[in-house]
Amino acid sequence: MNSSISSSEATSKASSETSWWRFAVMLVVTTVVAVVAIIAAAYAIDPYDTGRSPLFVREGVRPQGPRTANASRGRDPSFNGAIFGNSQIQLLSPERLKSRTGIDFLQLAVPATGPKEHFTLIDWFLKHRRGPVKALVVDADETWCTSDPAMPNAKPFPFWLYAGNPLEYAKGLMRYDILEELPRRLGYVFGKKAERAREDGYWDYEPNYLNLGYDTRPEIRARLEKPYYATEPKFERDPKEGQRKFPVADRFRQLAASLPAETALIVVHPPRYKNYLPPAGTEEGYLDQACKTAVKAAVKDHAKSAIVDWRIDRPENHNPDYFFDLSHYRQPLAMAVEADIVKALERLR
């Protein structure tokens, strides 16, 4: 009897283990199928209008941040010029520049980005041009002075969205926010009155700063007058002369060499309030000058290139009414920078 019971228990245990194994396999298979189905649906719906799917097509995207919206904007064939950088160049107006140059500019600046993101967006824009590109305006700020060839980015950026490899793009679709974006995209595609994100990418940040009291609150205004750089000893010459490496400038040289001769390449060193300008004779001062020299050398062989340098000691950079903080300036300075860009383009004709 004991033998019979033992045999029955063993059979029951084996059957139970088999059932659990089948359940586990079914669960894994179901999960894989569901994930593949979601990715396939996302690829077909193309939530950020990257042009990778012929289905659910409608020009543009719903209003959203430039990190994702620029995937759609950057492939719009109606633009033959573009502006690249971060919030320190985003105040430049495509409409104002077009009125003075005739070039259809697209604003592709993304706040809190650096050269790695800028090159990604430049490549995306150039890849999707059907006609000649008349001008590229590129913001070269302090992030370009890194010695790290990896060009690390400080904030998250969807590099997968702009990837040339379809598998890398598909892998990037495996995220929760895609599930939220899919119904929004369908609502935009099929909605008769769906609002579209601004085509030229322009966003004026002045109202936001004004609402926060950046022009009136004494404690905020006082920040402008606080020295950014600590007092350092002066040097007669750069103590690291000949040792500095600027991999961003090297990458920029490759870009300049790849451009058609007729494409104007304008480098902008954006304005800085006087207390954010590195003092001459200091380590930061030497680094700034060496970095600018490297960028200038990177574009010198491209015939239609120019440097617009506002990161220098000039009267406008001493006026606190032109700045919200040390690096974010107001419309009067934006228009002054635009005027210099226009002059540069006129000289390059």
Side-chain angles (χ1 to χ4, degrees):
M1 183 174 179
N2 290 339
S3 175
S4 176
I5 292 174
S6 297
S7 176
S8 176
E9 288 178 346
T11 302
S12 177
K13 182 178 181 181
S15 176
S16 177
E17 290 177 350
T18 300
S19 297
W20 275 109
W21 183 84
R22 288 176 178 173
F23 173 76
V25 171
M26 183 178 298
L27 182 62
V28 170
V29 171
T30 301
T31 301
V32 171
V33 170
V35 170
V36 171
I38 291 172
I39 294 176
Y43 206 107
I45 295 173
D46 194 9
Y48 299 112
D49 188 37
T50 66
R52 292 182 172 93
S53 171
L55 306 175
F56 307 102
V57 175
R58 181 174 182 175
E59 291 184 351
V61 290
R62 67 173 185 83
Q64 58 194 269
R67 279 171 167 75
T68 51
N70 283 352
S72 176
R73 293 187 183 115
R75 66 186 197 86
D76 188 335
S78 62
F79 296 99
N80 55 15
I83 304 164
F84 303 90
N86 50 39
S87 58
Q88 295 160 22
I89 202 172
Q90 79 175 59
L91 213 57
L92 301 191
S93 166
E95 288 184 346
R96 291 194 298 252
L97 284 171
K98 179 181 179 180
S99 68
R100 300 184 64 178
T101 66
I103 299 174
D104 288 297
F105 274 102
L106 174 63
Q107 178 56 274
L108 289 174
V110 179
T113 54
K116 187 175 182 179
E117 297 94 315
H118 304 166
F119 286 128
T120 296
L121 289 168
I122 291 172
D123 290 344
W124 181 261
F125 176 78
L126 294 176
K127 176 183 177 181
H128 291 89
R129 292 312 93 200
R130 298 175 185 173
V133 177
K134 291 189 176 181
L136 300 180
V137 176
V138 184
D139 161 26
D141 66 0
E142 293 85 354
T143 62
W144 281 49
C145 301
T146 178
S147 60
D148 189 341
M151 297 181 286
N153 51 302
K155 301 292 183 180
F157 186 83
F159 292 103
W160 60 270
L161 190 58
Y162 304 90
N165 187 334
L167 292 179
E168 185 176 348
Y169 170 70
K171 183 180 177 181
L173 292 173
M174 295 176 59
R175 57 191 65 238
Y176 180 76
D177 55 350
I178 292 297
L179 295 177
E180 297 179 321
E181 193 60 36
L182 293 180
R184 295 170 183 165
R185 178 62 183 175
L186 293 175
Y188 174 79
V189 170
F190 296 108
K192 294 183 179 180
K193 297 182 179 180
E195 183 183 1
R196 179 181 179 179
R198 181 162 172 160
E199 292 97 315
D200 67 4
Y202 186 61
W203 174 44
D204 180 2
Y205 59 59
E206 273 211 349
N208 298 73
Y209 277 102
L210 293 174
N211 288 338
L212 293 172
Y214 270 72
D215 63 330
T216 57
R217 292 172 59 186
E219 68 275 19
I220 294 179
R221 304 306 295 163
R223 297 175 192 169
L224 283 171
E225 305 309 327
K226 183 179 180 180
Y228 182 81
Y229 296 99
T231 302
E232 296 185 9
K234 301 285 184 177
F235 300 99
E236 293 184 1
R237 60 181 298 173
D238 185 351
K240 296 184 179 179
E241 187 174 350
Q243 302 176 26
R244 300 186 185 278
K245 303 296 182 183
F246 299 100
V248 177
D250 295 336
R251 173 70 178 83
F252 200 45
R253 180 180 289 104
Q254 297 173 15
L255 170 66
S258 71
L259 294 177
E262 66 271 18
T263 300
L265 179 59
I266 310 297
V267 179
V268 177
H269 300 303
R272 294 287 181 267
Y273 189 57
K274 62 182 179 66
N275 288 326
Y276 196 33
L277 295 171
T282 63
E283 183 76 5
E284 289 87 355
Y286 284 123
L287 175 64
D288 187 60
Q289 290 304 313
C291 182
K292 288 181 179 179
T293 299
V295 172
K296 185 176 181 179
V299 301
K300 68 179 180 63
D301 292 332
H302 183 68
K304 296 189 71 172
S305 63
I307 306 290
V308 174
D309 190 1
W310 274 79
R311 197 166 75 229
I312 56 176
D313 189 11
R314 54 191 299 165
E316 296 90 338
N317 291 338
H318 285 252
N319 187 344
D321 292 333
Y322 286 164
F323 289 85
F324 286 117
D325 58 28
L326 295 173
S327 61
H328 291 91
Y329 47 92
R330 303 187 63 173
Q331 287 290 354
L333 276 192
M335 294 179 192
V337 175
E338 290 166 6
D340 282 354
I341 293 173
V342 171
K343 291 176 183 177
L345 289 171
E346 291 174 345
R347 290 195 301 269
L348 296 175
R349 285 178 182 173

PDB file of all heavy atoms in Angstrom, residues 78-101:
ATOM      1  N   SER A  78      10.779  71.532 -46.897  1.00  0.00           N
ATOM      2  CA  SER A  78      10.541  72.937 -47.235  1.00  0.00           C
ATOM      3  C   SER A  78      11.604  73.864 -46.657  1.00  0.00           C
ATOM      4  O   SER A  78      11.626  75.055 -46.987  1.00  0.00           O
ATOM      5  CB  SER A  78       9.158  73.366 -46.743  1.00  0.00           C
ATOM      6  OG  SER A  78       9.057  73.260 -45.335  1.00  0.00           O
ATOM      7  N   PHE A  79      12.508  73.337 -45.828  1.00  0.00           N
ATOM      8  CA  PHE A  79      13.550  74.167 -45.227  1.00  0.00           C
ATOM      9  C   PHE A  79      14.902  73.879 -45.881  1.00  0.00           C
ATOM     10  O   PHE A  79      15.267  72.729 -46.076  1.00  0.00           O
ATOM     11  CB  PHE A  79      13.637  73.904 -43.723  1.00  0.00           C
ATOM     12  CG  PHE A  79      12.398  74.290 -42.968  1.00  0.00           C
ATOM     13  CD1 PHE A  79      11.454  73.328 -42.615  1.00  0.00           C
ATOM     14  CD2 PHE A  79      12.165  75.608 -42.622  1.00  0.00           C
ATOM     15  CE1 PHE A  79      10.306  73.679 -41.925  1.00  0.00           C
ATOM     16  CE2 PHE A  79      11.018  75.981 -41.935  1.00  0.00           C
ATOM     17  CZ  PHE A  79      10.082  75.013 -41.591  1.00  0.00           C
ATOM     18  N   ASN A  80      15.627  74.951 -46.209  1.00  0.00           N
ATOM     19  CA  ASN A  80      16.953  74.781 -46.812  1.00  0.00           C
ATOM     20  C   ASN A  80      18.066  75.388 -45.955  1.00  0.00           C
ATOM     21  O   ASN A  80      19.181  75.609 -46.417  1.00  0.00           O
ATOM     22  CB  ASN A  80      16.997  75.378 -48.220  1.00  0.00           C
ATOM     23  CG  ASN A  80      16.569  76.842 -48.253  1.00  0.00           C
ATOM     24  OD1 ASN A  80      16.495  77.501 -47.216  1.00  0.00           O
ATOM     25  ND2 ASN A  80      16.287  77.348 -49.439  1.00  0.00           N
ATOM     26  N   GLY A  81      17.741  75.652 -44.703  1.00  0.00           N
ATOM     27  CA  GLY A  81      18.725  76.134 -43.733  1.00  0.00           C
ATOM     28  C   GLY A  81      18.269  75.737 -42.348  1.00  0.00           C
ATOM     29  O   GLY A  81      17.077  75.494 -42.129  1.00  0.00           O
ATOM     30  N   ALA A  82      19.204  75.663 -41.404  1.00  0.00           N
ATOM     31  CA  ALA A  82      18.816  75.239 -40.057  1.00  0.00           C
ATOM     32  C   ALA A  82      19.765  75.808 -39.017  1.00  0.00           C
ATOM     33  O   ALA A  82      20.919  76.131 -39.304  1.00  0.00           O
ATOM     34  CB  ALA A  82      18.783  73.714 -39.968  1.00  0.00           C
ATOM     35  N   ILE A  83      19.247  75.905 -37.785  1.00  0.00           N
ATOM     36  CA  ILE A  83      19.988  76.408 -36.629  1.00  0.00           C
ATOM     37  C   ILE A  83      20.094  75.277 -35.615  1.00  0.00           C
ATOM     38  O   ILE A  83      19.085  74.656 -35.270  1.00  0.00           O
ATOM     39  CB  ILE A  83      19.259  77.608 -35.998  1.00  0.00           C
ATOM     40  CG1 ILE A  83      19.028  78.704 -37.033  1.00  0.00           C
ATOM     41  CG2 ILE A  83      20.038  78.152 -34.802  1.00  0.00           C
ATOM     42  CD1 ILE A  83      18.005  79.739 -36.605  1.00  0.00           C
ATOM     43  N   PHE A  84      21.308  75.021 -35.144  1.00  0.00           N
ATOM     44  CA  PHE A  84      21.542  73.909 -34.227  1.00  0.00           C
ATOM     45  C   PHE A  84      22.214  74.405 -32.955  1.00  0.00           C
ATOM     46  O   PHE A  84      23.073  75.284 -32.997  1.00  0.00           O
ATOM     47  CB  PHE A  84      22.429  72.850 -34.881  1.00  0.00           C
ATOM     48  CG  PHE A  84      21.890  72.309 -36.168  1.00  0.00           C
ATOM     49  CD1 PHE A  84      22.205  72.908 -37.374  1.00  0.00           C
ATOM     50  CD2 PHE A  84      21.056  71.203 -36.171  1.00  0.00           C
ATOM     51  CE1 PHE A  84      21.707  72.417 -38.569  1.00  0.00           C
ATOM     52  CE2 PHE A  84      20.547  70.703 -37.365  1.00  0.00           C
ATOM     53  CZ  PHE A  84      20.871  71.316 -38.574  1.00  0.00           C
ATOM     54  N   GLY A  85      21.841  73.823 -31.818  1.00  0.00           N
ATOM     55  CA  GLY A  85      22.458  74.201 -30.554  1.00  0.00           C
ATOM     56  C   GLY A  85      21.526  73.904 -29.398  1.00  0.00           C
ATOM     57  O   GLY A  85      20.666  73.022 -29.475  1.00  0.00           O
ATOM     58  N   ASN A  86      21.680  74.669 -28.343  1.00  0.00           N
ATOM     59  CA  ASN A  86      20.828  74.493 -27.167  1.00  0.00           C
ATOM     60  C   ASN A  86      20.063  75.787 -26.889  1.00  0.00           C
ATOM     61  O   ASN A  86      19.873  76.609 -27.791  1.00  0.00           O
ATOM     62  CB  ASN A  86      21.662  74.036 -25.968  1.00  0.00           C
ATOM     63  CG  ASN A  86      22.885  74.911 -25.747  1.00  0.00           C
ATOM     64  OD1 ASN A  86      22.819  76.135 -25.906  1.00  0.00           O
ATOM     65  ND2 ASN A  86      24.000  74.301 -25.392  1.00  0.00           N
ATOM     66  N   SER A  87      19.631  75.982 -25.644  1.00  0.00           N
ATOM     67  CA  SER A  87      18.799  77.146 -25.331  1.00  0.00           C
ATOM     68  C   SER A  87      19.543  78.467 -25.521  1.00  0.00           C
ATOM     69  O   SER A  87      18.918  79.527 -25.570  1.00  0.00           O
ATOM     70  CB  SER A  87      18.288  77.051 -23.888  1.00  0.00           C
ATOM     71  OG  SER A  87      19.366  76.975 -22.977  1.00  0.00           O
ATOM     72  N   GLN A  88      20.867  78.410 -25.645  1.00  0.00           N
ATOM     73  CA  GLN A  88      21.636  79.634 -25.801  1.00  0.00           C
ATOM     74  C   GLN A  88      21.631  80.158 -27.231  1.00  0.00           C
ATOM     75  O   GLN A  88      22.228  81.195 -27.520  1.00  0.00           O
ATOM     76  CB  GLN A  88      23.072  79.383 -25.322  1.00  0.00           C
ATOM     77  CG  GLN A  88      23.110  79.076 -23.830  1.00  0.00           C
ATOM     78  CD  GLN A  88      24.365  78.358 -23.407  1.00  0.00           C
ATOM     79  OE1 GLN A  88      25.377  78.418 -24.082  1.00  0.00           O
ATOM     80  NE2 GLN A  88      24.316  77.664 -22.283  1.00  0.00           N
ATOM     81  N   ILE A  89      20.927  79.438 -28.105  1.00  0.00           N
ATOM     82  CA  ILE A  89      20.776  79.941 -29.476  1.00  0.00           C
ATOM     83  C   ILE A  89      19.323  79.824 -29.945  1.00  0.00           C
ATOM     84  O   ILE A  89      18.986  80.244 -31.046  1.00  0.00           O
ATOM     85  CB  ILE A  89      21.719  79.184 -30.442  1.00  0.00           C
ATOM     86  CG1 ILE A  89      21.984  80.014 -31.708  1.00  0.00           C
ATOM     87  CG2 ILE A  89      21.164  77.810 -30.775  1.00  0.00           C
ATOM     88  CD1 ILE A  89      23.049  79.436 -32.605  1.00  0.00           C
ATOM     89  N   GLN A  90      18.455  79.293 -29.100  1.00  0.00           N
ATOM     90  CA  GLN A  90      17.084  79.037 -29.528  1.00  0.00           C
ATOM     91  C   GLN A  90      16.261  80.310 -29.719  1.00  0.00           C
ATOM     92  O   GLN A  90      15.192  80.274 -30.328  1.00  0.00           O
ATOM     93  CB  GLN A  90      16.368  78.112 -28.543  1.00  0.00           C
ATOM     94  CG  GLN A  90      15.869  78.789 -27.274  1.00  0.00           C
ATOM     95  CD  GLN A  90      15.075  77.847 -26.394  1.00  0.00           C
ATOM     96  OE1 GLN A  90      15.569  76.821 -25.952  1.00  0.00           O
ATOM     97  NE2 GLN A  90      13.832  78.176 -26.138  1.00  0.00           N
ATOM     98  N   LEU A  91      16.751  81.439 -29.226  1.00  0.00           N
ATOM     99  CA  LEU A  91      16.001  82.682 -29.382  1.00  0.00           C
ATOM    100  C   LEU A  91      16.172  83.289 -30.778  1.00  0.00           C
ATOM    101  O   LEU A  91      15.466  84.230 -31.133  1.00  0.00           O
ATOM    102  CB  LEU A  91      16.425  83.695 -28.314  1.00  0.00           C
ATOM    103  CG  LEU A  91      15.339  84.656 -27.793  1.00  0.00           C
ATOM    104  CD1 LEU A  91      14.166  83.882 -27.228  1.00  0.00           C
ATOM    105  CD2 LEU A  91      15.912  85.600 -26.740  1.00  0.00           C
ATOM    106  N   LEU A  92      17.099  82.752 -31.571  1.00  0.00           N
ATOM    107  CA  LEU A  92      17.252  83.246 -32.937  1.00  0.00           C
ATOM    108  C   LEU A  92      16.008  82.860 -33.735  1.00  0.00           C
ATOM    109  O   LEU A  92      15.606  81.702 -33.764  1.00  0.00           O
ATOM    110  CB  LEU A  92      18.499  82.655 -33.588  1.00  0.00           C
ATOM    111  CG  LEU A  92      19.836  82.927 -32.902  1.00  0.00           C
ATOM    112  CD1 LEU A  92      20.981  82.496 -33.813  1.00  0.00           C
ATOM    113  CD2 LEU A  92      19.988  84.384 -32.500  1.00  0.00           C
ATOM    114  N   SER A  93      15.427  83.839 -34.399  1.00  0.00           N
ATOM    115  CA  SER A  93      14.146  83.633 -35.069  1.00  0.00           C
ATOM    116  C   SER A  93      14.315  83.232 -36.528  1.00  0.00           C
ATOM    117  O   SER A  93      14.904  83.976 -37.321  1.00  0.00           O
ATOM    118  CB  SER A  93      13.317  84.924 -34.993  1.00  0.00           C
ATOM    119  OG  SER A  93      12.231  84.878 -35.885  1.00  0.00           O
ATOM    120  N   PRO A  94      13.786  82.074 -36.929  1.00  0.00           N
ATOM    121  CA  PRO A  94      13.820  81.678 -38.341  1.00  0.00           C
ATOM    122  C   PRO A  94      13.101  82.681 -39.243  1.00  0.00           C
ATOM    123  O   PRO A  94      13.553  82.947 -40.364  1.00  0.00           O
ATOM    124  CB  PRO A  94      13.113  80.323 -38.337  1.00  0.00           C
ATOM    125  CG  PRO A  94      13.254  79.815 -36.954  1.00  0.00           C
ATOM    126  CD  PRO A  94      13.204  81.031 -36.078  1.00  0.00           C
ATOM    127  N   GLU A  95      11.992  83.233 -38.755  1.00  0.00           N
ATOM    128  CA  GLU A  95      11.236  84.192 -39.559  1.00  0.00           C
ATOM    129  C   GLU A  95      12.036  85.457 -39.817  1.00  0.00           C
ATOM    130  O   GLU A  95      12.062  85.972 -40.946  1.00  0.00           O
ATOM    131  CB  GLU A  95       9.915  84.537 -38.864  1.00  0.00           C
ATOM    132  CG  GLU A  95       8.888  83.419 -38.891  1.00  0.00           C
ATOM    133  CD  GLU A  95       7.578  83.853 -38.269  1.00  0.00           C
ATOM    134  OE1 GLU A  95       7.554  84.913 -37.588  1.00  0.00           O
ATOM    135  OE2 GLU A  95       6.564  83.149 -38.459  1.00  0.00           O
ATOM    136  N   ARG A  96      12.688  85.986 -38.776  1.00  0.00           N
ATOM    137  CA  ARG A  96      13.479  87.206 -38.963  1.00  0.00           C
ATOM    138  C   ARG A  96      14.663  86.956 -39.894  1.00  0.00           C
ATOM    139  O   ARG A  96      14.981  87.795 -40.748  1.00  0.00           O
ATOM    140  CB  ARG A  96      13.953  87.736 -37.604  1.00  0.00           C
ATOM    141  CG  ARG A  96      12.827  88.289 -36.727  1.00  0.00           C
ATOM    142  CD  ARG A  96      13.354  89.109 -35.567  1.00  0.00           C
ATOM    143  NE  ARG A  96      14.184  88.353 -34.639  1.00  0.00           N
ATOM    144  CZ  ARG A  96      13.807  87.998 -33.416  1.00  0.00           C
ATOM    145  NH1 ARG A  96      12.583  88.312 -32.979  1.00  0.00           N
ATOM    146  NH2 ARG A  96      14.623  87.335 -32.623  1.00  0.00           N
ATOM    147  N   LEU A  97      15.313  85.818 -39.730  1.00  0.00           N
ATOM    148  CA  LEU A  97      16.448  85.509 -40.597  1.00  0.00           C
ATOM    149  C   LEU A  97      16.002  85.323 -42.046  1.00  0.00           C
ATOM    150  O   LEU A  97      16.680  85.773 -42.974  1.00  0.00           O
ATOM    151  CB  LEU A  97      17.152  84.248 -40.100  1.00  0.00           C
ATOM    152  CG  LEU A  97      18.034  84.425 -38.860  1.00  0.00           C
ATOM    153  CD1 LEU A  97      18.504  83.073 -38.343  1.00  0.00           C
ATOM    154  CD2 LEU A  97      19.223  85.323 -39.155  1.00  0.00           C
ATOM    155  N   LYS A  98      14.862  84.693 -42.241  1.00  0.00           N
ATOM    156  CA  LYS A  98      14.373  84.498 -43.600  1.00  0.00           C
ATOM    157  C   LYS A  98      14.042  85.830 -44.264  1.00  0.00           C
ATOM    158  O   LYS A  98      14.328  86.040 -45.454  1.00  0.00           O
ATOM    159  CB  LYS A  98      13.125  83.604 -43.598  1.00  0.00           C
ATOM    160  CG  LYS A  98      12.555  83.391 -44.998  1.00  0.00           C
ATOM    161  CD  LYS A  98      11.307  82.524 -44.980  1.00  0.00           C
ATOM    162  CE  LYS A  98      10.762  82.354 -46.392  1.00  0.00           C
ATOM    163  NZ  LYS A  98       9.541  81.505 -46.412  1.00  0.00           N
ATOM    164  N   SER A  99      13.456  86.739 -43.497  1.00  0.00           N
ATOM    165  CA  SER A  99      13.068  88.034 -44.069  1.00  0.00           C
ATOM    166  C   SER A  99      14.280  88.819 -44.561  1.00  0.00           C
ATOM    167  O   SER A  99      14.162  89.646 -45.465  1.00  0.00           O
ATOM    168  CB  SER A  99      12.292  88.858 -43.044  1.00  0.00           C
ATOM    169  OG  SER A  99      13.138  89.264 -41.972  1.00  0.00           O
ATOM    170  N   ARG A 100      15.456  88.539 -44.003  1.00  0.00           N
ATOM    171  CA  ARG A 100      16.660  89.301 -44.366  1.00  0.00           C
ATOM    172  C   ARG A 100      17.606  88.527 -45.283  1.00  0.00           C
ATOM    173  O   ARG A 100      18.514  89.114 -45.870  1.00  0.00           O
ATOM    174  CB  ARG A 100      17.397  89.718 -43.097  1.00  0.00           C
ATOM    175  CG  ARG A 100      16.559  90.595 -42.173  1.00  0.00           C
ATOM    176  CD  ARG A 100      17.344  91.081 -40.981  1.00  0.00           C
ATOM    177  NE  ARG A 100      18.453  91.970 -41.374  1.00  0.00           N
ATOM    178  CZ  ARG A 100      19.271  92.551 -40.510  1.00  0.00           C
ATOM    179  NH1 ARG A 100      19.112  92.344 -39.207  1.00  0.00           N
ATOM    180  NH2 ARG A 100      20.252  93.319 -40.929  1.00  0.00           N
ATOM    181  N   THR A 101      17.407  87.216 -45.381  1.00  0.00           N
ATOM    182  CA  THR A 101      18.323  86.414 -46.204  1.00  0.00           C
ATOM    183  C   THR A 101      17.627  85.646 -47.321  1.00  0.00           C
ATOM    184  O   THR A 101      18.287  85.230 -48.279  1.00  0.00           O
ATOM    185  CB  THR A 101      19.074  85.400 -45.334  1.00  0.00           C
ATOM    186  OG1 THR A 101      18.140  84.436 -44.803  1.00  0.00           O
ATOM    187  CG2 THR A 101      19.801  86.086 -44.181  1.00  0.00           C
TER     188      THR A 101
END
